[in-house]
Amino acid sequence: MNLFKIIYSGKDQYLDLAESMVKKIIEEKGRDAQVKFPSTAYSLPVIYAITGEKISTTGELEKALELAKEFIHEGNRLQDALDAGTASAMLAEIIEAVKYTMEEEPYKAPLQGHLTDAQIRAFGVPLVTQDIPGVAVIIGKCKDSETAAEIIKDYQAKGLLTFMVGEVIDQAIEQNVKMGIDLRVIPLGYEIESVIHVVSVAIRASLIFGAVEPGDFEAHKKYTKDRVKAFVNVFDDWDDKIIAAGAAAIELGFPAVTETFINEVPTLLLHQPNNEKVVETSLEVRNIKIKVTKIDIPVGVASAFEGERIRKND
Amino acid sequence: MSHEVLEFDGISTGLLEKGKADGAETIWDRQAAMKAKCGFGDKGICCRICAMGPCRISPVEGKGAQRGLCGATADTIVARNFARMVCGGASAHSDHARDIAHVMHIANKEGNYKVKDVGKLMNLAKEWGVNTDDREPNDIAHEIAEIALNEFGKPFGVQRLLVRAPEQRQKIWKDLKIEPRAIDREIATLMHSTHIGCASDAESILDLCMRTSLADGWGGSWIGTELSDIMFGVPTARGTEANLGVIEENMVNIMVHGHDPSFSEMVVLAAEDPELLALAKEMGAAGINLVGMCCTGNEVTMRHGVKIAGNFYQQELAIMTGAMEAVMVDVQCIFPALAKLADVYHTQFISTSPKAKMEGSIYIEFEEDHALDICKKIVRGAVENFKNRDKEKVMIPEAKNSAVVGYSVETVIQHLDKVVNSQTDVFNTVKPLSDVIWAGVLRGAVGIVGCNNPQVEHDKSHITIMKELIKNDIIVVTTGCAAQAAAKAGLMTMEAKELCGRGLKEVCERVGIPPILHMGSCVDISRILDIVSRVAIERGLDNSDLPVTGVAPEWMSEKAVSIGTYVVSSGINTYLGVTPQVTGSEYFVDLLTNKLEEKVGAKFIFEEDPVECARLMMEDIEAKRDKLGI
Ligand code: SF4
Ligand code: SF4
């Protein structure tokens, strides 16, 4: 298994899709149609943070593609692979931006899709002060709905913010898991590209609360790594696109844990086939320390959470 | 005086100018006096192993003498010369190990030598089937020591430590009939085979070389390391400083040079003796500054953080600072020239081993039974010598760098444990290392070992290759004078991660290590064999499958020849930055650099240009990765 090749293949798929979607939207709407996500001052936030460039028209999406391509160089060093992850994130954002340009409301309730600046501000401070102790991003489909609900509720009870991408959303609905930003359980969308909306949350945290300059990608990476305690859980089989997105997450300092075997990278990419251990594995790998006492939801008392060391051999 | 070889080393030039004024003679003067090298010797086609000779073979095929008087061809002569270098190297390492085993055999509660790492002793006892129930560690140690000593001359069986190799590797050795039996036996047998009128088939001589070298790597050297750790402690990560700048103007400077830790460990104790410290103060010095050189320097820096004055080529320079009260030596890699050089200054040059009495030295025999007393006596002499220092002649270069050293396999694994997730993995394995290699975060690993050699610019090849590799996400483990070059260059600091590619940088940050790991002295190359084999076993593979190589960029000694040969025989491609004296036989060169691969899955590569050498190694590593599909 050549991990980098998997990432490059996933990146290629984003690239193909993004290019065809940009082409299509220009054909349909011309070059001057406005491109933006609802209620954000940061244009396409991921691209803005990474490059400092604001993309505001369909025509400029071509420039956005070029900006993403600057991160594409398929070498065999880790930086090459992580850059492919960054490119994938930028391409996913382009894909999502096109969706929002095509339609007024590409995501319908309960799906969240893009989060507005105001929504982020609502939980942003506790997020970066780690009063919300972490952010779980669940991708894929659990082996059954009960398992999905158990894991989500476990994160919820621990005060984490949980984002969902893929069929796990239906599993949560089936189990009557209460969802919503206030409840800290947020279904993003079914397609992997929608994961960019949580990346956007992290990066806007850096822009808003960290006051990191747009275009200073190194500083953004440092901020997200140090301040946004996010991690990714992938259930069921992963595909190349998920792994490419995982590379983007890793570049921001967010580790990923997969249910299906993948070549592990200690502290960054872990294989945890045992669903019962996935929560503990994730908290440990992201170094999230939570008071053992579980608390009732809705979780208004997260700031009471205090550190406790989890690692066994410390 | 020509010393272009020093161009890379900015600090030595001034010292050499001063030395000239002092009337000191150095290796570079002698090199100049040597003029052009003898082409026959350089190509390995001069034979003087019987009194019919010396014979020399014409380097031009079909022209001039094609055979020695006995009929030996260039192929035979080259192979025999090479073999005897292997013997020299294997014997040096093994005799070193034997001494440590003897020291272990006299370990007792009251004496100078006691077992320090009971855990490692117990592990070895278990491996060797030694009863440990209700026994005192020193008692167990005596039995272990005896078993170890028997490894040198046991009449039957093969080396015990071979079982630490991957099974596939053990099978290759068995099938080729190169499993080393008793250490001394292999050396003696190879000396026998290379006597006049014995083996003349070059390929079979090379097979015997492999067997003898394996008796070194998987016998003598490994036993030396294992028993040194038991007796003197397993090295752990610690800070130190390196380069001539560690010599202190206001202190009594004592340099310990050579190889054997049973000697240097006692020197360390002696230099800490309160009475001698008080005496130093009385003499007007601020204290006693013990510094190390070459492998003994490595041993004491790994275990005690003793500062490193320098590597092989700097041994004269250290004395030429004029601030060295005493140089205490035991065995191996000590220039006989030091005696004459010490006379130019107030330096006491003290040899201690009956195996290495040095002409013109003060000889104080080191006897294990009262080791500490003898070392104290020498240190006392050095302290008293402080008053004789000629201040006019003192010039200490300011250069030194900090370094983190002490990466035994145990310490590496302990660091790897930091990145183990307790929910997904177990502790105390090399899996994290194998994982990052498999993922491509690290492309591979390279062991950089060996000496300095005035044929090439000092340290330049070491440093150039190291920097190239770490920049490209290849982790470097190093021993010997190569390690000291890295320490001097500041490559063994945590900050050196900034010189690395992203992958290695992440690993350094997360594991908390420098990108270049000091694994010890030359016998400690067994640690490298150990860690490579552990990774291979972890993956169910042979060493030759792994994306790893070895390189000796500036090698010079016979020990290095033995090392290179056992590394290749262990399945690891080995790059040599100095071409060995074998080029007089195309056939033998082809064996070393080509045919060996069919036999043991690895070969030698000669490449004197360090940049090209690094490039070839990276290509090699990527090819191994492609083969593994990673
Ligand atoms: S062994 Fe043969 S080649 Fe060597 S010196 Fe004697 S006669 Fe000459
Ligand atoms: S590396 Fe070479 S010069 Fe240095 S101590 Fe070892 S054998 Fe001697």
Side-chain angles (χ1 to χ4, degrees):
Chain A
M1 179 188 299
N2 185 321
L3 197 54
F4 292 3
K5 283 199 177 138
I6 295 168
I7 295 170
Y8 296 143
S9 145
K11 174 264 302 167
D12 285 343
Q13 294 176 44
Y14 289 114
L15 181 61
D16 287 349
L17 183 58
E19 281 181 330
S20 70
M21 285 177 75
V22 170
K23 197 166 160 237
K24 194 163 152 228
I25 193 100
I26 291 177
E27 274 165 18
E28 279 179 25
K29 306 223 167 190
R31 310 185 67 85
D32 299 323
Q34 214 191 12
V35 171
K36 66 193 267 267
F37 289 116
S39 306
T40 176
Y42 304 96
S43 173
L44 273 50
V46 175
I47 292 173
Y48 181 50
I50 293 172
T51 66
E53 301 276 352
K54 283 198 169 181
I55 303 297
S56 43
T57 63
T58 40
E60 280 171 6
L61 284 173
E62 283 178 342
K63 181 167 144 206
L65 285 172
E66 290 311 313
L67 291 171
K69 282 188 198 163
E70 281 175 24
F71 282 88
I72 299 178
H73 40 88
E74 294 188 9
N76 52 19
R77 303 287 180 266
L78 179 66
Q79 191 61 61
D80 304 322
L82 293 177
D83 283 351
T86 301
S88 301
M90 293 165 78
L91 294 164
E93 191 171 55
I94 294 170
I95 293 165
E96 290 299 295
V98 174
K99 285 186 195 166
Y100 274 91
T101 311
M102 296 259 205
E103 286 177 60
E104 189 72 14
E105 206 187 341
Y107 290 93
K108 307 211 168 39
L111 299 184
Q112 172 66 42
H114 167 82
L115 280 83
T116 66
D117 290 353
Q119 284 170 320
I120 292 175
R121 280 180 201 277
F123 59 70
V125 172
L127 182 68
V128 299
T129 57
Q130 276 146 42
D131 286 328
I132 292 176
V135 178
V137 181
I138 300 180
I139 298 173
K141 179 187 172 196
C142 290
K143 65 171 184 273
D144 50 50
S145 309
E146 291 78 16
T147 309
E150 257 166 51
I151 292 167
I152 296 162
K153 284 181 181 166
D154 198 357
Y155 283 137
Q156 197 178 27
K158 289 184 162 73
L160 275 81
L161 196 55
T162 304
F163 290 88
M164 295 181 288
V165 174
E167 285 176 63
V168 65
I169 296 173
D170 294 336
Q171 294 179 314
I173 294 170
E174 194 188 307
Q175 292 289 312
N176 282 322
V177 175
K178 301 234 170 11
M179 295 187 274
I181 291 181
D182 293 344
L183 296 170
R184 298 190 180 175
V185 177
I186 305 168
L188 287 174
Y190 291 108
E191 285 156 354
I192 180 66
E193 288 79 9
S194 67
V195 78
I196 200 64
H197 300 301
V198 57
V199 175
S200 178
V201 169
I203 221 118
R204 270 182 283 165
S206 178
L207 285 163
I208 300 170
F209 305 107
V212 174
E213 283 298 311
D216 190 351
F217 189 30
E218 285 305 314
H220 283 293
K221 285 192 287 189
K222 187 170 176 352
Y223 187 87
T224 52
K225 182 181 173 198
D226 293 346
R227 305 300 288 273
V228 183
K229 292 258 176 177
F231 58 85
V232 181
N233 288 168
V234 180
F235 292 98
D236 202 2
D237 290 344
W238 46 262
D239 62 24
D240 297 355
K241 273 167 103 178
I242 293 177
I243 300 307
I250 286 168
E251 185 63 313
L252 297 174
F254 310 152
V257 180
T258 65
E259 183 180 16
T260 302
F261 178 79
I262 188 151
N263 197 126
E264 294 186 89
V265 181
T267 73
L268 294 175
L269 186 53
L270 303 190
H271 170 224
Q272 177 52 277
N274 183 349
N275 288 164
E276 276 169 28
K277 285 186 173 176
V278 70
V279 173
E280 286 304 312
T281 305
S282 304
L283 297 180
E284 181 176 324
V285 73
R286 193 62 183 103
N287 205 12
I288 295 172
K289 295 142 188 175
I290 295 176
K291 225 177 172 175
V292 194
T293 353
K294 300 210 169 157
I295 50 160
D296 293 332
I297 49 162
V299 202
V301 290
S303 56
F305 294 157
E306 268 173 16
E308 173 181 301
R309 296 197 63 88
I310 293 169
R311 286 176 54 83
K312 278 185 180 155
N313 72 331
D314 272 350
Chain B
M1 187 185 330
S2 127
H3 39 76
E4 307 89 57
V5 287
L6 270 174
E7 221 167 275
F8 188 69
D9 169 3
I11 69 155
S12 298
T13 321
L15 208 47
L16 280 172
E17 293 305 321
K18 185 195 82 99
K20 205 171 171 184
D22 295 343
E25 176 204 280
T26 66
I27 183 170
W28 298 284
D29 301 310
R30 297 188 293 274
Q31 190 185 23
M34 200 61 64
K35 302 222 169 69
K37 282 196 271 184
C38 164
F40 295 98
D42 196 36
K43 293 188 170 64
I45 41 177
C46 158
C47 180
R48 38 143 299 281
I49 63 177
C50 88
M52 298 192 285
C55 301
R56 49 190 208 186
I57 307 297
S58 158
V60 188
E61 229 190 280
K63 216 175 145 210
Q66 297 296 303
R67 285 171 181 266
L69 294 193
C70 66
T73 60
D75 299 340
T76 304
I77 292 171
V78 163
R80 285 194 307 216
N81 287 339
F82 184 85
R84 288 186 165 208
M85 288 189 92
V86 171
C87 284
S91 68
H93 282 145
S94 302
D95 213 36
H96 165 168
R98 188 199 326 268
D99 280 353
I100 295 162
H102 276 294
V103 160
M104 189 167 181
H105 201 257
I106 60 166
N108 68 76
K109 276 196 204 129
E110 289 75 38
N112 295 150
Y113 297 107
K114 2 187 169 322
V115 170
K116 211 161 179 185
D117 196 304
V118 177
K120 191 152 182 167
L121 175 75
M122 292 301 174
N123 287 342
L124 189 60
K126 203 171 147 209
E127 186 178 329
W128 286 1
V130 171
N131 177 31
T132 55
D133 299 343
D134 301 323
R135 286 180 82 184
E136 207 256 312
N138 286 322
D139 188 25
I140 300 169
H142 296 163
E143 194 175 332
I144 293 273
E146 205 174 317
I147 296 175
L149 287 166
N150 277 318
E151 290 297 286
F152 290 84
K154 62 186 180 186
F156 307 108
V158 298
Q159 287 296 294
R160 289 171 169 265
L161 293 173
L162 300 186
V163 296
R164 294 186 177 183
E167 273 171 29
Q168 299 93 316
R169 184 57 28 187
Q170 293 181 48
K171 184 167 182 310
I172 289 173
W173 293 337
K174 200 182 186 73
D175 292 350
L176 288 174
K177 297 195 176 138
I178 57 171
E179 286 174 298
R181 303 156 302 174
I183 301 162
D184 293 348
R185 180 180 181 186
E186 300 308 354
I187 297 164
T189 297
L190 188 49
M191 289 303 285
H192 173 190
S193 297
T194 54
H195 189 274
I196 179 190
C198 215
S200 66
D201 175 60
E203 184 169 357
S204 76
I205 294 173
L206 184 54
D207 286 349
L208 297 179
C209 288
M210 291 201 280
R211 187 167 70 183
T212 303
S213 72
L214 287 168
D216 173 355
W218 296 80
S221 284
W222 204 322
I223 289 172
T225 298
E226 194 86 7
L227 302 196
S228 297
D229 282 356
I230 291 171
M231 293 306 296
F232 312 123
V234 176
T236 53
R238 65 189 68 237
T240 188
E241 287 179 332
N243 215 344
L244 294 170
V246 304
I247 297 168
E248 299 283 351
E249 182 134 26
N250 60 350
M251 289 182 130
V252 173
N253 293 300
I254 301 174
M255 187 161 88
V256 55
H257 177 20
H259 281 78
D260 186 351
S262 27
F263 170 63
S264 53
E265 283 288 319
M266 288 303 128
V267 178
V268 172
L269 282 183
E272 287 168 354
D273 185 81
E275 221 175 277
L276 293 173
L277 284 172
L279 182 65
K281 297 241 162 76
E282 247 172 69
M283 305 298 299
I288 299 173
N289 182 39
L290 182 69
V291 297
M293 170 130 323
C294 277
C295 279
T296 247
N298 285 325
E299 298 275 358
V300 287
T301 202
M302 290 283 282
R303 296 198 177 86
H304 303 283
V306 169
K307 292 174 185 171
I308 301 164
N311 50 357
F312 183 69
Y313 83 93
Q314 287 174 305
Q315 53 186 287
E316 292 175 313
L317 297 169
I319 294 177
M320 285 157 62
T321 60
M324 193 57 70
E325 271 63 56
V327 175
M328 310 169 62
V329 303
D330 50 28
V331 290
Q332 301 173 23
C333 302
I334 301 146
F335 286 179
L338 296 191
K340 198 169 153 232
L341 181 65
D343 285 346
V344 178
Y345 301 91
H346 72 303
T347 310
Q348 296 175 346
F349 177 54
I350 299 148
S351 60
T352 61
S353 169
K355 292 178 224 179
K357 288 191 183 177
M358 313 277 302
E359 188 188 354
S361 68
I362 304 164
Y363 180 68
I364 302 179
E365 189 155 314
F366 179 73
E367 288 155 11
E368 281 86 357
D369 307 352
H370 34 281
L372 186 57
D373 288 341
I374 292 167
C375 289
K376 278 192 198 163
K377 184 175 148 197
I378 300 174
V379 172
R380 177 178 292 272
V383 171
E384 285 165 351
N385 191 26
F386 183 69
K387 61 176 184 296
N388 299 324
R389 192 192 286 181
D390 178 354
K391 292 207 172 59
E392 301 286 297
K393 277 188 176 174
V394 172
M395 178 179 150
I396 304 171
E398 269 176 33
K400 62 178 175 185
N401 252 311
S402 57
V404 188
V405 300
Y407 292 98
S408 56
V409 174
E410 290 86 341
T411 298
V412 170
I413 289 177
Q414 216 177 14
H415 277 75
L416 292 176
D417 274 352
K418 281 196 206 169
V419 296
V420 168
N421 190 294
S422 68
Q423 303 292 319
T424 57
D425 269 318
V426 291
F427 294 98
N428 206 17
T429 74
V430 293
K431 179 165 180 286
L433 174 60
S434 107
D435 278 344
V436 286
I437 291 176
W438 252 250
V441 170
L442 295 186
R443 305 311 294 174
V446 170
I448 304 186
V449 305
C451 326
N452 295 120
N453 189 325
Q455 320 263 352
V456 297
E457 263 186 66
H458 287 301
D459 285 355
K460 184 183 181 184
S461 298
H462 289 310
I463 301 306
T464 308
I465 292 176
M466 284 172 185
K467 285 189 172 165
E468 281 294 311
L469 295 177
I470 63 174
K471 193 169 80 192
N472 285 290
D473 289 341
I474 291 169
I475 193 165
V476 171
V477 294
T478 173
T479 62
C481 290
Q484 294 175 327
K488 289 189 287 169
L491 297 177
M492 290 177 162
T493 57
M494 298 299 168
E495 295 74 42
K497 69 176 197 284
E498 300 304 334
L499 302 170
C500 302
R502 178 71 188 279
L504 181 52
K505 185 178 169 186
E506 288 288 335
V507 170
C508 289
E509 278 174 2
R510 285 162 198 269
V511 180
I513 48 169
I516 299 188
L517 299 177
H518 193 322
M519 294 196 83
S521 63
C522 291
V523 292
D524 292 338
I525 292 172
S526 56
R527 299 190 202 274
I528 301 179
L529 291 179
D530 188 4
I531 201 156
V532 170
S533 298
R534 281 175 198 243
V535 173
I537 292 166
E538 167 86 40
R539 291 279 166 178
L541 295 168
D542 189 4
N543 297 336
S544 55
D545 300 319
L546 301 181
V548 303
T549 72
V551 57
E554 306 179 17
W555 73 275
M556 62 88 201
S557 70
E558 291 177 324
K559 289 181 288 174
V561 177
S562 175
I563 292 166
T565 308
Y566 76 63
V567 172
V568 168
S569 312
S570 300
I572 301 166
N573 282 341
T574 297
Y575 292 71
L576 299 180
V578 175
T579 304
Q581 294 144 346
V582 294
T583 53
S585 164
E586 262 176 53
Y587 176 66
F588 195 71
V589 170
D590 185 51
L591 284 176
L592 291 177
T593 60
N594 191 12
K595 286 226 178 64
L596 263 186
E597 196 169 24
E598 290 159 30
K599 287 186 154 178
V600 292
K603 59 183 181 183
F604 282 101
I605 299 93
F606 308 155
E607 179 50 65
E608 299 192 350
D609 174 11
V611 176
E612 178 62 7
C613 186
R615 195 189 65 76
L616 289 174
M617 284 194 282
M618 290 190 276
E619 231 177 64
D620 186 342
I621 280 171
E622 292 300 331
K624 289 267 161 89
R625 298 189 64 93
D626 286 347
K627 230 168 144 191
L628 288 169
I630 56 171

